[in-house]
Structure formats: C-alpha cells, structure tokens
Amino acid sequence: MLVLFGEGVIKDVCAVEVKPMDIGEGKIVGTQINFTLTSGDRLEYIYDQNIPIENSGQRAIDFVRKLYDSGKADFSGEPVELM
C-alpha cells in the first residue's frame, strides 16, 4: 500500500495500526497511528492533542479504511506529529 507522507515522499507500507496513546493508569491522552514499512522500518505519529480523542480516533480509522480500500492514501494533510 502506498502512503503520501509529504511533498515528494511516498512510502510503501505493509501494516498500519491505530491505537490510543495511554500514559499509564488507563489515562488516554491521544490517538497514535503506526506504520510498518515494507523495509521493516516503523513510523509512529500522534494526532494533534488539540483535537478531541474521539475525532482523532475516527480520523485515523477513516484513513486506514481508505488506504485498505484503495491501496493508496494521502497522509500529508493529517494533523500529526512524528514521535
């Protein structure tokens, strides 16, 4: 699956995982999305913490669904930070 991460940056990914960002004691502070590249490298992002967790979680799930359905997706506009 191909993901556009930025202008001129397309990477081939073999797995994507959306998970809550848990800081311990069950306290969820955000949504994390992890990409495993076909090279074996991993890229981990967290959604902007100014976005409510419910919204960021849904955005991440919608992104993964689009990627799965079409085999390619544009991640460059997502409000995320590289971890």
Side-chain angles (χ1 to χ4, degrees):
M1 298 175 287
L2 297 175
V3 175
L4 176 67
F5 285 95
E7 289 296 319
V9 182
I10 297 173
K11 297 192 184 259
D12 195 6
V13 302
C14 59
V16 183
E17 178 184 21
V18 175
K19 61 186 202 175
M21 188 167 179
D22 187 342
I23 60 170
E25 299 179 15
K27 183 169 169 90
I28 307 300
V29 296
T31 302
Q32 188 173 336
I33 185 166
N34 301 328
F35 296 91
T36 302
L37 306 180
T38 54
S39 66
D41 293 337
R42 286 179 52 95
L43 297 174
E44 298 180 347
Y45 291 88
I46 182 166
Y47 274 81
D48 187 324
Q49 293 185 5
N50 292 324
I51 298 173
I53 294 169
E54 298 81 18
N55 294 353
S56 63
Q58 190 60 54
R59 281 185 77 129
I61 290 168
D62 291 346
F63 172 83
V64 172
R65 184 171 291 122
K66 180 180 179 186
L67 177 61
Y68 174 76
D69 287 345
S70 66
K72 60 183 176 181
D74 183 351
F75 191 68
S76 64
E78 293 296 304
V80 295
E81 296 177 24
L82 185 61
M83 292 181 66

